[in-house]
Amino acid sequence: MAEKKLKPEELVQIELSPPAREWMDPSVNFRKGTWNYAAVPDTLDYLGLPNAGKWSPPDEEWPLPDNWQEIIHNGIKERLEKYRSFKVFMDICVRCGACADKCHFFIGSGDPKNMPVLRAELLRSIYRNDFTMAGKVLGKIAGGRKLSKQIIKEWFYYFFQCTECRRCSVFCPYGIDTAEITMIGRELLSLLGLGIEWVCTPLANCFRTGNHLGIQPHGFKDSLEFAVDELEEITGIRVNAPINKKGAEILFVAPSADYFASPHYYTLLGYLALFHELGLDYTWSSYASEGGNFGLFHSHEMIKRLNSKIYMEARRLGVKWIIGGECGHMWRVLNQYMDTMNGPADFLEVPVSPYTGTKFEHAASTKMIHISEFTADLIKHNKLNLDPRRNDHWVATYHDSCNPARSMGLLEEPRFIIKNVANNFHEMPENTIREQTFCCGSGAGLGTDENMEMRLRGGLPRANAVNYVKDKFGVNVLLCMCAIDKATLPPLLEYWVPGVEVAGVHELVGNALVMKGERPRTTDLRGEPMKGFGDAAGEEAQDV
Amino acid sequence: MRFLVSLVAVLVLMGAAYFGSASSGGQYLFGVIIPYAAIALFIAGVLYRVLGWAKSPVPFRISTTCGQQRSLPWIKNSTLDNPHGTLGVLGRMALEVLFFRSLFRNTKAQIHGRPAFRFVYGADKYLWLGALAFHWSFLLIFIRHYRFFAEPVPGAVLGLQSLDGIMQVWVPSVLITNVLIIGALVYLWGRRLVNPQVRYISLAADHFPLLLLLSVAGTGAYMRYFSKVDLIGIKQLAMGLVSFAPVVPDGLAPLFFTHLFLVCVLFAYFPVSKLMHMGGIFFSPTRNLANNNRAARHINPWNYPVKVHTYEEYEDEFRDVMKAADMPVEKE
Ligand code: SF4
Ligand code: SF4
């Protein structure tokens, strides 16, 4: 694997000045470690997607349908007519370069086509050539390029080197969002049957089983029961994890990684402990067992196809409203697409916290709130018995996940929670958090082993900021609220900043939460000793 | 080289007007026909482009949020960077359009110290400053030109001019905007030549407008400060044009026609170029929409039914294992 070969000292030899070769030259070198495996035909067939073929990105000849040029041309045309965003963004970039060094992939690789502006130009040059007068008359001088098979390869390489994080869009004077262009670019590629395995297989799985690893209903139940057992071992309390329970007040939807991957799993324990302690009348669903929406990495249509389950299930179960767990891209979809695509949710009620009476007016239409909004409200109203000393073994910093930060603005809720459940919290430098947060480098379907070099490069700016607070404050845990972060930050930090763990916010809530009737805790939810709560007598916190 | 193409193009345009206007009939061509044609192209072109954008719907509310959302009452919402209503959006747009707020955030990524490297993202306000200086001077100079088209000249225009001339205390008769616009354009073009990243991404279509603007500002300033042109004659021409009774007075200098022609080229070129960002910014969905998706449903006019996987299909496939695992089912 790539990470074995390249040492950090080598990988960081980054040249941010562009090469002599002009960007209009589309040739791409599919270097090992910088691209993702192609989608397998079965998954495309299952989803009814066109032009499935067997191929691999480094292949000389890709299996394109005969009329591929026509498909792309019409695909662009259709999207120009459907998306004002696309049309305006194609027209108004002035190439000021403000976005250039804002992309983590450019900062980490120095590849000029990873400057957001050039990523967009890859598609914009075709648009100019085919759809604008200047491009038709002046061609290359006006920045036009004629579509070629080589350009398709180039699109594939660079549209799957964008994590749709929207950092560029924060800095662009016109708000040009390269993520939007990448989304459209990927849609165009998928019309030709070109997709990546780690997007399309999860899509098919989510569609069929409800979650991205294809776990069947009984497996889902097993996972939750296992978590219940584990939580009992730690706290001495047996909690309830209802599944598909009709008539519950609340449907809870989390990213599926929460119930089978680590360290997500400890966040799941945190949710379970919290809901039990409150006595919340809620249910999980095995059918809508994935909040994460891989459709976002594929096409608008796939977003809708997968997201539809949440409202359909809420209706079937007869719940009143919905809470969503810790996940990044899931929340982009829930906040910016769900209601428009699959609403109106007029069969639900505006969420009201049963414990504080707070009416979540900001979710009056979607009827779905983020768990951190729910928990922050509880803490503010003193509804939880919290002992932050139980997180004293952690010195924490917080990573804003791209989507909650830049497609939602969920910035203070998690910080408020963290400050109430932990005593040691330090922010990373200002230009690397909140709306300027740096991506984990592995989002939007790019978190694969075969793509490891690019992931390490893309995650470098984030890792570097973590390194800074590690040196300065001794930070040993990076908190986050995203399933992809929890999966991909651990290897990233292990490579660049060894010694820093990754944890969810509700894992720390679970640690700090003092439950009625619990046995004295000696370990945290990971089963690891907590500072001052060990079995060994005479530790300082015991006498308090 | 892309900038050479643009440079040559601008020089050719200047030459054409300078010498062309001296020929017989040239004055009428450059003084009347071309200005009318340019304005017609400008208006038709801008309308075409703007209507084109307006025709494409906004299927999703995809605001880029650059601050705290409005959620719980005790958490302060950052209204201007993450607006939840119309007022906030208006404020955000005003700040973008008038003061280039997003550009103000600009930072520069640098690597400090290898191999124990560290990335530093220092503030970088030069681009913002240059852009602001250019756009505001251009606007003021544009308004100042109104004095050629109105009799009597409105007081506001005169006031503007005297305000602009504040610097005259130190440098006689130099207007601040003239200095600023030329300085800003030189900077903006200079960074396209010198900054390796910006140089790499620049197209001919990026060099050309800057050089064209520079030639417009240069010829204008030259006329103002060095070769005194016949202002009365120019005003006569301008008034004739706006009253649709054009006359070309004798004795107008070739330099004036050059200036006028360059402006005409600018107008005609505007709608087919990136200069349309002026209108486009108002249409940018990441900036001009409130982030209130969860509070108020946004309608997508082309929302269409898609193939979904229903619960019934799901249960049909998994009923046996669900029953075996004691999970509730709809159909036994
Ligand atoms: S910041 Fe915006 S206008 Fe400037 S180059 Fe990037 S996308 Fe284009
Ligand atoms: S969305 Fe993120 S990954 Fe994509 S170009 Fe912009 S900054 Fe880079």
Side-chain angles (χ1 to χ4, degrees):
Chain A
M1 243 195 316
E3 86 246 50
K4 294 281 177 313
K5 277 189 237 135
L6 280 170
K7 295 199 187 70
E9 310 81 81
E10 291 163 3
L11 212 58
V12 79
Q13 297 308 315
I14 301 159
E15 184 46 73
L16 294 182
S17 284
R21 191 170 70 102
E22 282 211 41
W23 70 263
M24 286 209 169
D25 171 357
S27 48
V28 180
N29 171 18
F30 281 88
R31 194 173 77 244
K32 211 169 175 321
T34 64
W35 47 271
N36 293 274
Y37 294 147
V40 284
D42 288 358
T43 60
L44 301 191
D45 290 341
Y46 178 77
L47 292 164
L49 297 173
N51 298 317
K54 239 185 141 50
W55 61 290
S56 173
D59 290 353
E60 192 55 44
E61 210 34 58
W62 289 10
L64 303 183
D66 289 338
N67 60 340
W68 65 274
Q69 276 158 306
E70 187 190 336
I71 294 177
I72 293 290
H73 182 89
N74 292 342
I76 296 178
K77 184 160 183 289
E78 182 192 337
R79 284 160 184 79
L80 288 169
E81 285 159 9
K82 277 171 127 177
Y83 296 88
R84 186 180 298 165
S85 53
F86 183 44
K87 191 161 189 184
V88 170
F89 294 164
M90 283 294 104
D91 281 333
I92 64 171
C93 172
V94 298
R95 285 159 301 280
C96 67
C99 58
D101 58 357
K102 307 304 180 286
C103 177
H104 49 283
F105 281 118
F106 175 65
I107 298 174
S109 73
D111 183 339
K113 291 188 189 178
N114 272 325
M115 296 186 210
V117 46
L118 277 193
R119 198 186 311 285
E121 288 284 306
L122 303 180
L123 178 48
R124 199 178 275 126
S125 54
I126 306 303
Y127 162 76
R128 278 195 207 102
N129 191 72
D130 289 14
F131 295 91
T132 70
M133 194 149 50
K136 279 181 192 158
V137 178
L138 292 172
K140 212 181 146 191
I141 296 182
R145 291 195 302 175
K146 219 178 123 37
L147 188 61
S148 68
K149 285 191 179 176
Q150 194 50 55
I151 287 181
I152 297 293
K153 290 186 171 184
E154 179 196 41
W155 282 5
F156 179 86
Y157 191 67
Y158 290 103
F159 290 143
F160 287 100
Q161 270 182 25
C162 166
T163 43
E164 304 179 354
C165 78
R166 311 185 93 201
R167 190 170 193 266
C168 45
S169 156
V170 168
F171 293 91
C172 173
Y174 318 119
I176 293 176
D177 180 10
T178 306
E180 185 80 355
I181 295 167
T182 294
M183 283 166 75
I184 302 263
R186 289 186 182 189
E187 278 193 26
L188 295 171
L189 289 169
S190 86
L191 296 177
L192 301 180
L194 306 173
I196 65 171
E197 198 264 342
W198 183 234
V199 168
C200 295
T201 302
L203 279 179
N205 283 335
C206 288
F207 197 66
R208 174 165 169 256
T209 64
N211 60 72
H212 84 268
L213 278 203
I215 295 174
Q216 300 192 0
H218 53 301
F220 172 69
K221 189 178 179 206
D222 281 352
S223 294
L224 284 187
E225 274 172 3
F226 189 76
V228 168
D229 291 344
E230 192 132 316
L231 193 61
E232 186 176 13
E233 244 164 68
I234 297 164
T235 64
I237 293 175
R238 184 140 192 103
V239 305
N240 193 12
I243 299 174
N244 300 352
K245 179 179 141 194
K246 284 199 174 177
E249 182 181 357
I250 294 161
L251 170 65
F252 181 65
V253 183
S256 59
D258 284 0
Y259 49 85
F260 62 76
S262 172
H264 312 61
Y265 186 68
Y266 308 114
T267 298
L268 168 68
L269 299 184
Y271 303 146
L272 291 173
L274 176 70
F275 295 159
H276 170 87
E277 187 57 19
L278 292 166
L280 193 71
D281 178 18
Y282 82 108
T283 181
W284 295 79
S285 158
S286 64
Y287 165 68
S289 53
E290 173 71 276
N293 191 316
F294 278 73
L296 186 64
F297 314 148
H298 183 270
S299 61
H300 288 87
E301 182 165 314
M302 284 308 309
I303 300 178
K304 182 170 173 178
R305 287 175 70 181
L306 296 186
N307 175 261
S308 61
K309 295 187 180 204
I310 296 182
Y311 278 154
M312 288 199 294
E313 184 68 341
R315 191 193 286 269
R316 183 182 77 86
L317 295 175
V319 300
K320 290 193 184 136
W321 52 283
I322 315 171
I323 299 182
E326 293 187 6
C327 189
H329 64 287
M330 155 175 165
W331 271 98
R332 166 129 212 235
V333 172
L334 299 177
N335 190 52
Q336 298 198 322
Y337 296 103
M338 171 157 85
D339 202 4
T340 300
M341 286 178 165
N342 292 311
D346 41 18
F347 53 93
L348 297 174
E349 292 173 14
V350 179
V352 176
S353 170
Y355 310 102
T356 65
T358 300
K359 194 168 187 185
F360 298 96
E361 294 284 0
H362 69 291
S365 180
T366 15
K367 324 286 200 294
M368 182 154 187
I369 64 167
H370 191 285
I371 181 138
S372 72
E373 295 164 349
F374 180 68
T375 307
D377 175 63
L378 291 168
I379 295 177
K380 181 77 182 174
H381 288 87
N382 271 319
K383 297 291 175 193
L384 301 178
N385 184 3
L386 299 168
D387 183 355
R389 292 172 310 145
R390 297 208 273 196
N391 282 311
D392 278 352
H393 54 307
W394 292 125
V395 183
T397 190
Y398 179 66
H399 162 68
D400 290 274
S401 307
C402 306
N403 287 297
R406 287 185 282 261
S407 301
M408 196 174 172
L410 186 83
L411 307 174
E412 294 305 332
E413 293 86 344
R415 287 179 167 78
F416 178 79
I417 298 174
I418 294 166
K419 287 174 192 160
N420 277 281
V421 299
N423 289 319
N424 314 309
F425 173 62
H426 304 278
E427 293 275 16
M428 285 180 277
E430 199 189 354
N431 289 326
T432 70
I433 54 169
R434 297 178 189 265
E435 76 280 1
Q436 299 196 21
T437 187
F438 274 111
C439 184
C440 62
S442 304
L446 310 186
T448 62
D449 282 348
E450 68 267 20
N451 190 35
M452 191 51 95
E453 181 188 328
M454 224 43 225
R455 289 172 55 190
L456 294 174
R457 290 184 179 282
L460 176 55
R462 169 42 77 225
N464 198 238
V466 174
N467 198 31
Y468 178 78
V469 283
K470 183 193 174 206
D471 286 350
K472 200 162 170 192
F473 306 108
V475 160
N476 63 4
V477 68
L478 176 61
L479 301 179
C480 58
M481 290 204 301
C482 170
I484 293 180
D485 283 336
K486 288 170 195 162
T488 66
L489 286 173
L492 181 82
L493 296 185
E494 192 185 306
Y495 185 83
W496 292 115
V497 205
V500 178
E501 303 279 324
V502 175
V505 171
H506 279 78
E507 176 185 340
L508 266 63
V509 171
N511 284 343
L513 184 71
V514 181
M515 300 169 75
K516 288 181 273 307
E518 70 179 5
R519 85 160 74 100
R521 284 203 217 173
T522 53
T523 67
D524 64 6
L525 295 180
R526 298 185 176 203
E528 283 167 18
M530 301 186 294
K531 205 166 154 187
F533 290 85
D535 283 320
E539 285 200 51
E540 73 271 33
Q542 292 290 1
D543 53 358
V544 186
Chain B
M1 288 301 290
R2 288 173 282 204
F3 80 89
L4 265 179
V5 176
S6 312
L7 191 64
V8 170
V10 171
L11 289 175
V12 167
L13 291 170
M14 288 176 78
Y18 193 88
F19 298 108
S21 63
S23 66
S24 65
Q27 302 220 328
Y28 197 76
L29 176 68
F30 283 95
V32 178
I33 298 178
I34 291 179
Y36 276 139
I39 293 294
L41 282 175
F42 176 80
I43 294 174
V46 168
L47 274 178
Y48 177 79
R49 293 296 291 280
V50 167
L51 292 178
W53 292 330
K55 212 171 74 194
S56 296
V58 181
F60 305 107
R61 218 189 260 138
I62 53 164
S63 19
T64 303
T65 59
C66 301
Q68 172 63 35
Q69 66 170 352
R70 181 158 92 146
S71 55
L72 299 163
W74 47 272
I75 297 181
K76 199 176 160 346
N77 163 228
S78 100
T79 331
L80 290 173
D81 289 318
N82 190 347
H84 62 83
T86 314
L87 220 58
V89 168
L90 288 178
R92 186 182 203 188
M93 288 303 291
L95 285 177
E96 289 292 359
V97 172
L98 299 176
F99 302 111
F100 309 170
R101 184 178 175 82
S102 291
L103 205 53
F104 188 71
R105 291 193 184 98
N106 198 24
T107 55
K108 189 174 166 60
Q110 282 169 315
I111 306 177
H112 284 192
R114 301 177 203 240
F117 67 99
R118 186 157 105 69
F119 285 110
V120 175
Y121 315 93
D124 183 6
K125 308 272 188 237
Y126 291 111
L127 177 58
W128 172 78
L129 211 63
L132 207 64
F134 162 69
H135 284 86
W136 274 103
S137 329
F138 186 89
L139 179 68
L140 294 180
I141 292 172
F142 187 82
I143 296 173
R144 222 165 59 210
H145 276 70
Y146 191 65
R147 73 186 188 280
F148 291 110
F149 297 94
E151 191 58 56
V153 181
V157 174
L158 291 173
L160 196 68
Q161 175 146 352
S162 56
L163 200 69
D164 202 353
I166 272 177
M167 229 160 60
Q168 285 177 355
V169 181
W170 305 292
V171 193
S173 72
V174 171
L175 299 181
I176 301 174
T177 46
N178 285 111
V179 178
L180 281 181
I181 198 168
I182 292 179
L185 284 168
V186 167
Y187 165 73
L188 291 173
W189 190 46
R191 71 187 280 279
R192 287 210 183 268
L193 297 180
V194 176
N195 180 318
Q197 288 161 13
V198 186
R199 183 191 171 96
Y200 193 72
I201 60 177
S202 293
L203 300 170
D206 299 312
H207 292 286
F208 178 69
L210 283 171
L211 290 171
L212 186 63
L213 284 161
L214 208 50
S215 68
V216 168
T219 49
Y222 193 85
M223 279 190 290
R224 180 171 190 103
Y225 302 118
F226 302 108
S227 80
K228 296 292 175 204
V229 283
D230 173 11
L231 290 178
I232 314 263
I234 292 173
K235 181 143 188 174
Q236 225 181 330
L237 175 70
M239 295 291 286
L241 285 172
V242 286
S243 56
F244 293 103
V247 274
V248 186
D250 285 339
L252 290 178
L255 191 62
F256 163 73
F257 283 108
T258 311
H259 181 70
L260 179 63
F261 179 60
L262 292 169
V263 172
C264 291
V265 173
L266 185 63
F267 270 81
Y269 176 69
F270 193 97
V272 295
S273 72
K274 69 167 193 175
L275 300 177
M276 280 304 292
H277 67 265
M278 177 185 171
I281 182 166
F282 294 96
F283 287 83
S284 177
T286 62
R287 292 291 186 272
N288 70 9
L289 294 168
N291 174 41
N292 61 352
N293 289 288
R294 282 191 287 156
R297 183 165 183 249
H298 179 81
I299 305 289
N300 171 5
W302 50 259
N303 197 13
Y304 58 96
V306 295
K307 188 175 172 345
V308 298
H309 193 64
T310 62
Y311 177 81
E312 288 68 35
E313 290 168 289
Y314 168 86
E315 192 182 295
D316 284 348
E317 183 175 354
F318 296 115
R319 185 169 297 111
D320 294 343
V321 291
M322 288 173 82
K323 278 161 77 175
D326 261 344
M327 298 172 74
V329 287
E330 294 277 341
K331 272 193 255 168
E332 283 304 320

